[in-house]
């Protein structure tokens, strides 16, 4: 019988047996010592805390380049975290794939005023938003204008809705700008509360120029003013007259925020707009107006109600500003305008 078996096996059977043994040995070894050859590939192999460290180092290089370290002071806007540990969003500090998945059923509003001559900025604003703003998500544009019939609708992707609302046109541009806070108090309470989860408020004389996505969403979000991101606190253009409700004493405040882009959960924007509106009305009674209108009131509110997320100047830029080489992505750009011409 053994002879029969032997004749049934090929001549190389000894070699094959050795090979099988070797494979079994290797498999056993790998299982014993947990060699990671059998582990499934991890879905998100990027180490994001490492990424943040790298971004911090990169921003510190920017700082050194500007010789800002002479007083051994860290420029706050060139950090990735605020002193109260809110993230400051720069390119490279977030993983858009993870965030897009988390927000796959999030509803986002974009609030904008286009009154009087500013109607000319609306179509380029909306068209650029279709290209770069929250692409792939559910978006409602809340457009407020005195010229509803003159609005040209852009070609819009699925899941995006344009709502047009009439608003009175104030004579002074300062009043148009401030009226946004009053409209916000009404709409965040009545309409938006059931329609959206987050609201983003923007100026219309702007165009999206690169990705602006769900990384900007948070409970209360504000953007660092691009003209003051390297400035000393003392030079911020906060309202400094104690008689105004927007007053911020010297030494208080963290950043100078720009009112051309901020946002948050709908109920947070309700609280914010109520506070700013109240301040504006109280000032008006005393016949005063804060130095930068609703932006001054917004800054006052944010000193005492810290934003949970801060956007770097990547999210608000004007190509006429200095230090543009420090800002790699210019995501939302001011359209250059003749101030006198558009405001009369
Ligand atoms: C606005 O900025 C616009 O009126 C300007 O045309 C420009 O787009 C600016 O934003 C970024 O102190 C290259 C222009 C340099 C201007 C720097 C100062 C102004 O700062 C003010 C607060 C207000 O935020 C103005 O809205 C802002 O001017
Ligand atoms: N705005 C408007 N019509 C006006 C003045 C202002 O619609 O006549 C709105 C518009 O959304 C504009 C915002 O108010 O972007 C703020 O005004 P502006 O952009 O002139 O302020 P700046 O950014 O130049 O300080
Ligand atoms: Mn503007």
């Amino acid at each position: 019988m053994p002879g029969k078996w032997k004749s049934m096996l090929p001549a190389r059977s000894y070699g094959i047996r050795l090979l099988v043994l070797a494979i079994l040995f290797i498999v056993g070894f790998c299982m014993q010592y947990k060699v990671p050859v059998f582990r499934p590939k991890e879905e998100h192999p990027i180490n994001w805390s490492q990424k943040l460290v790298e971004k911090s180092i990169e921003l510190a290089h920017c700082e050194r380049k500007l010789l800002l370290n002479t007083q051994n002071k860290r420029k706050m806007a060139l950090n990735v975290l605020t002193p109260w540990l809110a993230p400051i969003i720069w390119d490279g500090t977030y993983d858009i794939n993870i965030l897009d998945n988390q927000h796959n059923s999030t509803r986002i509003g974009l609030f904008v005023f286009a009154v009087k001559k500013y109607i000319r900025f609306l179509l380029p604003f909306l068209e650029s938003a279709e290209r770069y703003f929250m692409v792939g998500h559910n978006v409602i544009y809340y457009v407020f204008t005195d010229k509803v019939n003159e609005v040209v609708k852009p070609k819009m992707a699925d899941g995006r809705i344009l709502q047009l609302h009439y608003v009175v046109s104030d004579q002074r541009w300062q009043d148009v700008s401030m009226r946004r806070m009053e409209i916000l108090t009404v709409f965040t309470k009545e309409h938006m509360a059931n329609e959206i989860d987050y609201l983003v408020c923007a100026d219309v004389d702007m165009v999206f120029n690169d990705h602006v996505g769900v990384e900007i969403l948070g409970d209360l979000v504000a953007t660092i003013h691009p003209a003051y991101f390297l400035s000393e606190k003392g030079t911020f253009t906060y309202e400094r007259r104690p008689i105004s409700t927007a007053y911020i004493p010297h030494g208080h405040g963290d950043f100078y925020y720009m009112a051309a882009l901020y946002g948050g959960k709908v109920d947070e924007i309700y609280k914010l707009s109520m506070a700013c509106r109240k301040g504006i009305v109280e000032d008006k009674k005393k016949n005063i107006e804060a130095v930068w209108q609703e932006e001054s009131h917004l800054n006052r509110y944010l000193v005492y109600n810290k934003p949970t997320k801060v956007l770097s100047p990547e999210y608000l830029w004007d190509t006429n500003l200095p230090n543009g080489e420090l800002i790699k992505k210019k995501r939302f750009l001011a359209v250059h305008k003749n101030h006198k011409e558009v405001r009369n």
Side-chain angles (χ1 to χ4, degrees):
M1 280 304 250
K4 197 180 174 194
W5 271 110
K6 209 175 174 188
S7 67
M8 281 167 72
L9 286 169
R12 285 164 297 167
S13 68
Y14 190 65
I16 288 172
R17 255 182 275 166
L18 252 181
L19 190 68
V20 169
L21 269 175
I23 289 171
L24 282 175
F25 177 79
I26 291 167
V27 170
F29 179 86
C30 288
M31 284 168 77
Q32 171 94 11
Y33 294 104
K34 298 200 169 72
V35 178
V37 282
F38 301 116
R39 269 188 231 151
K41 200 167 165 265
E42 278 186 36
E43 215 177 308
H44 302 296
I46 303 167
N47 178 346
W48 282 93
S49 55
Q50 180 59 31
K51 278 260 163 201
L52 281 186
V53 170
E54 284 165 17
K55 192 70 199 178
S56 286
I57 293 168
E58 181 195 319
L59 293 170
H61 278 301
C62 293
E63 193 179 0
R64 231 163 281 130
K65 201 165 132 197
L66 291 162
L67 296 175
L68 293 173
N69 251 340
T70 45
Q71 293 162 294
N72 209 18
K73 266 190 199 164
R74 184 90 172 96
K75 289 283 157 179
M76 231 208 319
L78 289 174
N79 277 329
V80 294
L81 286 178
T82 67
W84 60 97
L85 304 185
I88 304 176
I89 309 299
W90 293 87
D91 190 42
T93 61
Y94 59 89
D95 183 331
I96 195 62
N97 295 321
I98 295 176
L99 299 179
D100 271 339
N101 278 333
Q102 285 173 354
H103 284 287
N104 67 0
S105 58
T106 299
R107 302 162 304 168
I108 304 141
L110 181 57
F111 169 91
V112 72
F113 255 44
V115 172
K116 295 193 287 183
K117 290 190 176 172
Y118 282 65
I119 189 98
R120 68 176 67 162
F121 297 113
L122 185 61
L123 186 59
F125 174 91
L126 293 173
E127 283 178 339
S128 66
E130 282 296 301
R131 262 188 90 181
Y132 294 116
F133 181 79
M134 305 290 172
V135 173
H137 293 275
N138 301 311
V139 172
I140 301 180
Y141 297 109
Y142 294 94
V143 173
F144 292 81
T145 179
D146 57 335
K147 299 185 178 70
V148 174
N149 296 327
E150 285 179 34
V151 171
V152 180
K153 290 183 187 169
K155 204 175 168 307
M156 290 196 300
D158 285 350
R160 302 173 82 99
I161 296 167
L162 177 64
Q163 281 192 17
L164 291 178
H165 298 278
Y166 174 80
V167 69
V168 292
S169 67
D170 293 285
Q171 212 179 352
R172 296 173 64 245
W173 64 267
Q174 295 92 334
D175 289 322
V176 177
S177 193
M178 287 191 290
R179 190 172 288 281
R180 293 185 290 181
M181 286 297 175
E182 182 203 323
I183 297 295
L184 276 176
T185 63
V186 177
F187 267 73
T188 47
K189 192 162 200 246
E190 291 173 9
H191 304 257
M192 295 167 178
N194 300 318
E195 292 177 348
I196 51 172
D197 305 302
Y198 294 92
L199 182 64
V200 178
C201 308
D203 267 16
V204 76
D205 57 342
M206 306 285 302
V207 285
F208 293 93
N209 182 59
D210 208 325
H211 169 94
V212 173
V214 295
E215 75 281 0
I216 74 164
L217 301 179
D219 284 17
L220 185 57
V221 184
T223 313
I224 299 170
H225 195 302
Y228 302 100
F229 76 108
L230 299 172
S231 304
E232 293 297 335
K233 231 184 195 191
T235 70
F236 290 167
T237 56
Y238 293 148
E239 174 57 64
R240 298 299 192 182
R241 294 168 301 170
I243 189 171
S244 169
T245 56
Y247 171 60
I248 300 174
H250 278 283
H252 288 226
D254 314 285
F255 300 96
Y256 187 75
Y257 302 106
M258 193 169 183
L261 186 69
Y262 61 93
K265 286 251 175 77
V266 173
D267 60 329
E268 285 295 336
I269 300 302
Y270 172 70
K271 286 190 269 178
L272 177 152
S273 58
M274 282 292 280
C276 292
R277 179 68 196 151
K278 194 162 165 258
I280 291 167
V281 169
E282 269 175 47
D283 278 10
K284 264 205 195 311
K285 277 187 208 152
K286 287 186 250 165
N287 213 14
I288 49 171
E289 184 176 283
V291 57
W292 288 105
Q293 298 80 37
E294 81 292 351
E295 183 171 273
S296 306
H297 292 275
L298 174 78
N299 271 282
R300 155 92 190 201
Y301 183 83
L302 294 171
V303 171
Y304 305 106
N305 303 270
K306 303 287 190 211
T308 60
K309 187 178 270 187
V310 171
L311 306 182
S312 73
E314 289 179 6
Y315 290 87
L316 268 183
W317 195 255
D318 184 319
T319 55
N320 287 335
L321 287 166
N323 303 306
E325 71 281 3
L326 304 180
I327 310 299
K328 284 191 189 157
K329 277 205 170 175
K330 295 177 176 95
R331 305 169 190 263
F332 194 37
L333 283 178
V335 176
H336 297 150
K337 62 184 188 277
N338 178 337
H339 288 69
K340 271 197 185 141
E341 198 269 324
V342 292
R343 284 172 176 175
N344 73 36

